[in-house]
Amino acid sequence: MIDMGMTDKQFNGFVRFLLDALREAQAEKESEKKTEKISKIIDNLQQTLED
């Protein structure tokens, strides 16, 4: 099986998505919601690594 990498534009898009999600979590005022958002980001990153 051939492993295809990301183009620079795809990688930049991924980083933008991640940065946006982190900024949204950072702006959350309620601690519980902030924790939930950060956990979701972590889960999504872990799932990406496992794919």
Side-chain angles (χ1 to χ4, degrees):
M1 180 175 195
I2 297 173
D3 185 23
M4 297 186 63
M6 280 187 186
T7 65
D8 287 347
K9 286 190 182 262
Q10 288 171 323
F11 180 72
N12 288 344
F14 173 75
V15 171
R16 272 191 225 87
F17 169 78
L18 180 57
L19 186 58
D20 183 56
L22 288 169
R23 284 183 174 150
E24 185 179 321
Q26 183 182 40
E28 183 60 59
K29 302 296 183 203
E30 294 182 41
S31 180
E32 188 174 317
K33 285 187 179 182
K34 183 180 282 201
T35 300
E36 286 176 19
K37 287 182 179 190
I38 292 171
S39 291
K40 184 176 179 181
I41 294 167
I42 291 169
D43 290 344
N44 286 339
L45 287 172
Q46 183 64 46
Q47 194 171 34
T48 299
L49 287 174
E50 292 172 2
D51 285 347

